[in-house]
Amino acid sequence: YIGQSSGSLLKAIDIDRAYPLASALAAWGHAQLVMYNGTSAPGDERGRAEQLLRRAGIIDDDDDPLCLTARWAVHTMTGEFDAAVALVARVLAIDPTSSWAGCRSARLHAYSGNSDVAIAQFRRALLTGPKASRANDFVGIGTAHFHRGRYMAAASWLRKALAEQPGAAWPNRSLSVAYARMGEPLKARQSLDALRRFRPDLTVSQVLRAVPF
């Protein structure tokens, strides 16, 4: 689905090369394929994301909150957290009610090890954000608990994410490890098998390169 959306956005760019949002959203789409292990060619997708990011940064002179937040995703993919933080701050200064930017801010705190701040912000997002983003918020809370070594809580929230969005497989990257650290090898194997059904060729090194923390 992300790949199809990126293709449509590239067509939009061909029609209007001065439209920054199309470039930013296309960059975001390619970055998501890298971060969620949704591609067998992550190097190519990373390169496309970075190229489109540079383009969006050059032609975006209106500080569109959606464009800025989409650019955030690519900086996060590349581990440029300072640039990502600056973009989210600009969005929230323009629109303090932006639920997408609020969720991105929470995710940055989770990636940076500020787990309790991240959990508080994700819980706020669950109250104010759209229902479609609930699964990502659940994963964010689970990831934050995981980083604090609270594996039972992490597994609980990650299971909620998978129940909310059954078609997603990438939360099993953390869920399988949480089960293993809880001493639940059978559940860990089942979680890992679900991930392998999504990407049979996926390797540990590819997972480690995909996550931005």
Side-chain angles (χ1 to χ4, degrees):
Y1 174 76
I2 292 175
Q4 292 173 346
S5 298
S6 295
S8 299
L9 288 164
L10 292 175
K11 291 180 181 177
I13 293 169
D14 286 338
I15 295 170
D16 184 356
R17 293 186 171 274
Y19 184 40
L21 182 57
S23 293
L25 289 175
W28 171 79
H30 289 294
Q32 296 301 285
L33 288 172
V34 174
M35 293 174 67
Y36 294 158
N37 292 118
T39 175
S40 58
D44 293 343
E45 295 295 339
R46 183 183 295 270
R48 294 187 185 102
E50 292 175 344
Q51 181 182 25
L52 287 161
L53 171 69
R54 289 192 294 271
R55 178 181 181 81
I58 291 171
I59 61 180
D60 179 23
D61 56 3
D62 294 327
D63 271 358
D64 180 343
L66 187 57
C67 185
L68 293 172
T69 308
R71 287 165 56 193
W72 166 96
V74 190
H75 284 299
T76 304
M77 176 199 72
T78 59
E80 299 170 304
F81 287 169
D82 289 344
V85 168
L87 288 173
V88 168
R90 284 167 63 186
V91 174
L92 292 175
I94 297 167
D95 180 9
T97 65
S98 171
S99 59
W100 194 19
C103 180
R104 300 303 95 181
S105 175
R107 198 164 293 281
L108 282 172
H109 280 294
Y111 292 162
S112 302
N114 302 321
S115 299
D116 292 336
V117 175
I119 290 170
Q121 291 189 352
F122 277 122
R123 287 185 177 276
R124 192 177 308 121
L126 284 170
L127 295 174
T128 61
K131 185 177 180 180
S133 67
R134 284 168 58 87
N136 281 335
D137 295 334
F138 289 157
V139 171
I141 295 174
T143 301
H145 280 299
F146 184 95
H147 288 319
R148 292 297 298 270
R150 299 189 287 248
Y151 301 120
M152 188 174 296
S156 176
W157 284 99
L158 290 166
R159 286 196 302 269
K160 286 183 181 181
L162 289 169
E164 186 83 10
Q165 197 173 89
W170 59 273
N172 285 290
R173 297 184 305 192
S174 298
L175 180 57
S176 59
V177 180
Y179 279 138
R181 294 187 179 179
M182 290 163 58
E184 298 274 7
L186 179 59
K187 290 182 179 178
R189 171 59 63 182
Q190 291 171 340
S191 176
L192 185 60
D193 286 345
L195 181 61
R196 294 291 297 276
R197 284 194 294 273
F198 166 68
R199 277 287 311 282
D201 59 337
L202 188 63
T203 66
V204 172
S205 62
Q206 287 175 336
V207 171
L208 294 177
R209 286 196 298 270
V211 293
F213 51 86

